Amino acid sequence: MRWGICSAGLIATDFCNALQCLDPSEHKIIAVVSKSLEKAKKFAEEFKIPNVYDNYEEFAKDPNIDLVYVSSINRFHHPLSVIMLNNGKPVLCEKAYGQNTKETKDIIELAKSKKIFFMEAMWSNFFPAYKNIKQEIDSGTIGKIRYLDVAFLVDIFSKEEISRGSVGGGGLLEIGVYTIWLANFIFRQKPETITACGTIAGTGTDLSANIILTYKDGARASLSFNTTLAGRTDAYIYGTEGKIYIHPPFWCPDKIAVNGEEREFPLPKSDAKYTYVHSNGLAYEAEDVRQYFEKGHLECPDHTHADSLLLINIIDEVRRQLEETQHKN
């Protein structure tokens, strides 16, 4: 797999460091592009990348790139993915690849029409801990799932990519998305009702929210996120026969407890310095993408286009309710 890295930011650095955990004969970084040529050159020097661009169209036309990792800020996920797909490049795009349902549908339809692999980089799906959780749920170890309690409370609103609406900021797309993803992962169905309340900052971006999802069998998910408080980042899954506790950070865990039994899933060994917690776990996602792509799949079974659509549908409804409450106040 010859990777092209689209945008040379912090998550791209973590992704490239994680690739070093994998077999170098199966993963090679061949090109990088950034609107800043200086930044692209510095990035290329760090990872010994042979081809450097400051023009996205030229980058997309590089015949040596097998698959592009789009890692820009949220606002540019959609337009950059469109450029790549229109130039025949398969894409792994950071979540969420659309800021709303319309953008998400547009991307999916474009990828399908061109018969090109496209996937949202929801890396949590690929962690061994979550594969184990899925197995335990399928086997009935904790019975029928009745309740999910998950919280993502981190003090990050001062960061520009969170506080500014003009760059696609806000807690919902940055961290709330993980809490909603977990509910979808656990219940595997569209919720019957969505109820949300929260706070929107003067910048127009959401600070926090509490979300309740209810399902047709009466099961419920309680999801909380907050970008101004440092607190819980764990999750509890309750079933009729027991529970699963997901140790923090729940979105990239290396430890869970099933009915009190602790289980550890060591992350790939890496000497690199990462910006974000457990980013060496990005290697799981990259390897699964390589395998499915090389088998000729146009989407990944572990996170399908339908999964991405359900995720953004719920995000849109939560956003609508938060904005409606804001206008009333």
Side-chain angles (χ1 to χ4, degrees), residues 57-199:
E57 290 279 354
E58 290 180 8
F59 168 85
K61 289 179 168 57
D62 188 328
N64 295 310
I65 297 174
D66 294 322
L67 194 143
V68 173
Y69 174 58
V70 174
S71 57
S72 64
I73 56 175
N74 289 334
R75 178 186 169 190
F76 297 114
H77 288 172
H78 177 268
L80 290 177
S81 292
V82 168
I83 291 173
M84 300 307 142
L85 289 170
N86 278 332
N87 282 279
K89 287 290 184 285
V91 174
L92 171 66
C93 180
E94 268 306 325
K95 54 79 186 165
Y97 57 73
Q99 292 188 84
N100 50 54
T101 298
K102 182 183 183 304
E103 287 189 357
T104 302
K105 284 183 175 178
D106 286 347
I107 287 287
I108 292 172
E109 289 171 6
L110 179 59
K112 285 184 175 180
S113 69
K114 292 183 173 294
K115 294 182 172 56
I116 297 174
F117 178 92
F118 189 90
M119 190 186 111
E120 181 177 46
M122 186 53 69
W123 67 318
S124 305
N125 283 285
F126 306 95
F127 274 73
Y130 274 111
K131 292 183 183 294
N132 187 246
I133 288 170
K134 186 177 186 301
Q135 290 171 358
E136 294 298 343
I137 290 174
D138 289 346
S139 66
T141 300
I142 64 169
K144 190 173 184 180
I145 308 301
R146 305 306 299 152
Y147 185 64
L148 167 68
D149 171 23
V150 55
F152 199 153
L153 314 179
V154 286
D155 187 4
I156 57 173
F157 195 75
S158 59
K159 295 182 179 181
E160 186 179 42
E161 65 269 25
I162 309 298
S163 61
R164 286 179 55 201
S166 59
V167 298
L172 189 54
L173 284 178
E174 191 68 22
I175 60 174
V177 59
Y178 286 110
T179 68
I180 296 169
W181 164 80
L182 182 55
N184 293 347
F185 178 88
I186 297 302
F187 291 104
R188 305 175 201 173
Q189 59 180 295
K190 181 179 179 180
E192 283 208 326
T193 64
I194 301 168
T195 306
C197 62
T199 304

Side-chain angles (χ1 to χ4, degrees), residues 1 3 14-29 268-270 274 279-291:
M1 176 76 77
W3 290 92
D14 279 4
F15 184 82
C16 290
N17 276 324
L19 287 180
Q20 313 307 310
C21 301
L22 301 170
D23 187 339
S25 70
E26 295 178 338
H27 294 269
K28 183 178 178 62
I29 309 166
K269 292 183 179 179
S270 175
Y274 293 91
S279 275
N280 42 335
L282 287 163
Y284 298 128
E285 176 184 63
E287 176 57 17
D288 274 30
V289 167
R290 181 192 69 80
Q291 291 186 25

